[in-house]
Amino acid sequence: MADPMRIRAQAAGDKATVRVLMAHEMEGGQRKDASGSIVPAWYIQEVTATHNGKPVLTAEWGPAVSKNPFLQFVVKGAKAGDKIGVNWKDNRGDTRSDEATVS
Amino acid sequence: MRIANKLVVAAVLASSGMVVWAQKNAAVQAIEEYRAMLQDGNPADLFEAKGEGLWKQKRGPKNATLEQCDLGKGPGVVKGVFVELPRFFADTGRVQDLESRLLTCMDTLQGLDAAAIAKTSFGKGEQVNMTALATWIAAESKGMKFALPQAHVKEKTFYEVGKRLFFQRAGPHDFSCASCHGEDDKRIRLQDLPNLTNNPGDGVGVAAWPAYRVSNGQMWGMQQRLNDCYRQQRFPYPGFGSDATIALGVYLGVNSQGSASVAPAIKR
Amino acid sequence: MQTRRNALKHTAVVAGLLASTGLFPQFAFAFNKSAFDAKSVADALKALGASGALTESKDVSVTAPDIAENGSVVPVGVATTLAGVKTLLIMVEKNPATLTALFNVTESVEPAFQARVKMGQSSDVYAIAIMNDGKVLFAKKEVKVTLGGCGG
Amino acid sequence: MIHHQKVIFLALAVGLAGCASVPDSASLDKFTADIVKASFRDEGIVKASVLDADETNRLCSEADVAGKPLDDATAKRVEALNLKTVKAPPNGKYLGDWKEGEKIAQNGRGLTYTDSAKTVNGGNCYNCHKIDQKEISFGTIGPSLHNYGKLRGVADPSSAEAKPVVEYTWGKIWNSKAYNACSNMPRAGHMGILNAAQIADVMALLLDPKSPVNQ
């Protein structure tokens, strides 16, 4: 199972800045291993974010997003105590969901 | 006529020199800007979280946590231990750094096979957990100043051994640690090289490791940092937690006394 | 060779599959493989069905370092000050596949995102905004990728 | 009386803690050698025996630990020892192709425990030196080599006037310690890092008037 994400959500005014780190190899599918064969692509394809359970963002990524991806976005109307959820799904079908409380 | 020519040449040389100087600074500035952009959102956070979980998780044949591990300030104390390591431990009779001490605890408390873990390659099996644990433990001393004990004769002896290792020239390239880290204000390619024979200051040298390396997306503890320095020195393989790596750790740590740790850092 | 029609069909099938799993039905959306396989800015936009003329705009911004010490991690920010943006894209012109990240903007988030991308070589990095009215606006910036360290 | 016992006890405790004082320098050298032997192992193409220092490395390491340079006589002796190892190019050609030389200068690979025996060794030059101005990623451990030939007035590297510079440069790359006993620079030819043809290419990068280095 994939390791947990780190989600930090900080309110300022009437919005909250969300910073997410995801533990993922993001293998690009270009690299060769020691035996010379191509390491198959393995990367997060879909990311969704929710605010108190309501979807606020969907994103699609290619294999050129860096390993252990970082994502920052700003949720309007989010205040301290609200929940921010993030879910990712990779091209092998593995998923991971985590949640953080806005501080 | 001749003088006039000379003046022109001098002026041209001076101006081209200025251009080069300006270019160089633009490049260095741009790299600094790049590094600053990476500070917010250090993937080391992922390893830190994992390490904290592992510390409290019952594992190994003895199904025990590491919470009774003595890292130098008594069983279970984590805060502040990192900036006092390596140090002498009476129970093992050895000077140990963070990672070799963790090996001892994993062995005695959890019943894991220390020798097998030491032989495992970095980034594989239990070594992944080792790095995560070291990352979390180091992070618990973030901002604290290095204060390695030097009261025990073995600690003092290891400092002296570490110094000799630091200056050991060998291998096909005649490199020693000092080849790159023996003078102020030097660079390898675009990488600044701290002078580790003196105190390099807050957050530099030992005060920056464990660190997340963006070039390969790996989290490295001090053992791996030293191992890869030796690899690039064209030296053979220093054993994980071997006395050579620990003595070097004592030399570097004592030289950094009083400097604040920023670990876990983010590095090229 | 995949035609656009095939791509659309493929997309619909995937969307159907996802929806049918019922795991995150409200999130069900399709990964647009042909767009992420495209080898140029124009082809990627075509695959996304963005037909408007690509126009440079000062209301779209891309933030990235002038020089990346390492191509494995290049921080990139994309944003627009305009209302009515449907999608924000990050593209790296000289990567094997140009489109790197796509963000579907909603009323609930600001049209401003930061991510980190891999770059195989020095290249222009694009921020592209596909607007609700079909306009396609962009900003670009050259990022130089250097060779750091001693590995050669 | 009680006080006296306490003092004895303390002294004993210190003694038990491990002989109380740090060993002398010679014992530390021996102890270090033992630790090196126990700590390093063969890995890949690198044998632990590469740590057996020759006289040059041994003397220079000792001088570094002591924090003072070799005395003049020893330095001269070490330099003479190393100068003797310099081999002139087998075909008499000191200069090869500067374009190949640039590639070698850029390349920092070879001879680490993760390299294979087939890895073509690089010269590692840009790690420490500025060479071609166009390369902004250069190190500063060694001096700038930009305009190397031009600054030394080399208009025709095959000319008689250029001979001393050409031969010195060859010797410096082959065995840097021939001219500076404890130089930080590797001994590319002597230690088999680069072969004569590769050194000739690097020579061309530095000395060929057509090389970008001399523009």
Side-chain angles (χ1 to χ4, degrees), chain C residues 53-73:
Chain C
L54 186 60
T55 315
E56 190 151 7
S57 167
K58 61 179 187 344
D59 299 319
V60 175
S61 66
V62 56
T63 50
D66 294 336
I67 301 177
E69 195 174 14
N70 199 288
S72 307
V73 180

Side-chain angles (χ1 to χ4, degrees), chain B residues 16 20 23-24 27 88 118-119 122 152-154 156-158 160-165 167-176 178-180 183 185-190 193 227-228 230-240 242-245 247, chain D residues 17-18 20-23 25 28-29 31-32 35-36 39-43 46-48 50-51 53 57 60-61 64-65 105-114 124 126-127 130 133 135-141 177 182-187 191 193:
Chain B
S16 70
V20 170
Q23 269 176 355
K24 181 182 143 190
F88 177 76
K119 266 190 223 129
F122 290 108
H152 196 280
V153 66
K154 284 201 174 168
K156 287 190 201 125
T157 302
F158 262 51
E160 288 300 322
V161 169
K163 185 178 182 183
R164 281 157 177 77
L165 290 164
F167 290 110
Q168 181 191 11
R169 297 171 185 237
H173 289 63
D174 305 332
F175 288 148
S176 69
S179 305
C180 286
E183 285 180 77
D185 303 323
K186 296 289 181 187
R187 276 184 1 211
I188 188 159
R189 290 276 182 166
L190 280 173
L193 296 164
N227 184 292
D228 201 63
Y230 272 133
R231 184 184 68 83
Q232 299 199 60
Q233 269 174 252
R234 275 76 182 176
F235 275 38
Y237 197 96
F240 183 87
S242 59
D243 280 347
T245 60
Chain D
S21 69
V22 178
S25 189
L28 283 167
D29 289 346
F31 191 41
T32 303
I35 281 181
V36 166
S39 295
F40 289 90
R41 60 168 161 83
D42 295 355
E43 176 80 10
V46 183
K47 301 284 167 254
V50 302
L51 297 182
N57 277 334
C60 292
S61 301
D64 290 343
V65 172
Q106 288 281 0
N107 184 353
R109 297 201 181 280
L111 301 173
T112 74
Y113 70 66
T114 49
N124 284 289
Y126 279 101
N127 286 346
K130 177 177 178 176
Q133 283 219 102
E135 178 53 84
I136 59 163
S137 181
F138 60 86
T140 60
I141 297 169
K177 273 78 168 175
C182 294
S183 168
N184 269 335
M185 185 166 146
R187 297 173 283 185
M191 299 300 283
I193 300 164

Side-chain angles (χ1 to χ4, degrees), chain B residues 104-238:
Chain B
T104 301
C105 288
M106 289 160 96
D107 191 299
T108 54
L109 297 174
Q110 298 182 311
L112 295 166
D113 183 347
I117 298 170
K119 266 190 223 129
T120 306
S121 304
F122 290 108
K124 301 251 155 60
E126 277 297 324
Q127 282 285 354
V128 175
N129 297 332
M130 172 66 76
T131 304
L133 283 162
T135 303
W136 175 63
I137 292 162
E140 289 290 293
S141 297
K142 199 170 194 160
M144 298 175 76
K145 293 181 162 70
F146 278 92
L148 276 69
Q150 279 281 284
H152 196 280
V153 66
K154 284 201 174 168
E155 291 166 344
K156 287 190 201 125
T157 302
F158 262 51
Y159 177 86
E160 288 300 322
V161 169
K163 185 178 182 183
R164 281 157 177 77
L165 290 164
F166 190 85
F167 290 110
Q168 181 191 11
R169 297 171 185 237
H173 289 63
D174 305 332
F175 288 148
S176 69
C177 305
S179 305
C180 286
H181 294 289
E183 285 180 77
D184 291 341
D185 303 323
K186 296 289 181 187
R187 276 184 1 211
I188 188 159
R189 290 276 182 166
L190 280 173
Q191 290 296 116
D192 293 324
L193 296 164
N195 180 352
L196 302 178
T197 65
N198 296 318
N199 189 333
D202 293 345
V204 184
V206 287
W209 299 88
Y212 182 80
R213 302 211 49 194
V214 300
S215 49
N216 51 21
Q218 293 171 1
M219 188 75 216
W220 282 16
M222 195 58 186
Q223 279 289 328
Q224 192 167 4
R225 171 62 281 173
L226 293 178
N227 184 292
D228 201 63
C229 280
Y230 272 133
R231 184 184 68 83
Q232 299 199 60
Q233 269 174 252
R234 275 76 182 176
F235 275 38
Y237 197 96

Side-chain angles (χ1 to χ4, degrees), chain C residues 86-140:
Chain C
K86 191 169 121 195
T87 312
L88 271 172
L89 310 169
I90 299 175
M91 296 207 200
V92 181
E93 194 175 31
K94 289 191 182 159
N95 270 5
T98 309
L99 176 59
T100 306
L102 174 159
F103 302 95
N104 293 306
V105 182
T106 68
E107 285 297 306
S108 308
V109 290
E110 292 195 346
F113 305 96
Q114 283 183 40
R116 292 170 183 171
V117 306
K118 299 175 215 168
M119 290 178 65
Q121 57 180 309
S122 299
S123 168
D124 279 339
V125 174
Y126 284 74
I128 298 178
I130 302 176
M131 309 303 290
N132 287 329
D133 63 8
K135 284 203 186 94
V136 183
L137 308 173
F138 80 93
K140 67 174 180 180

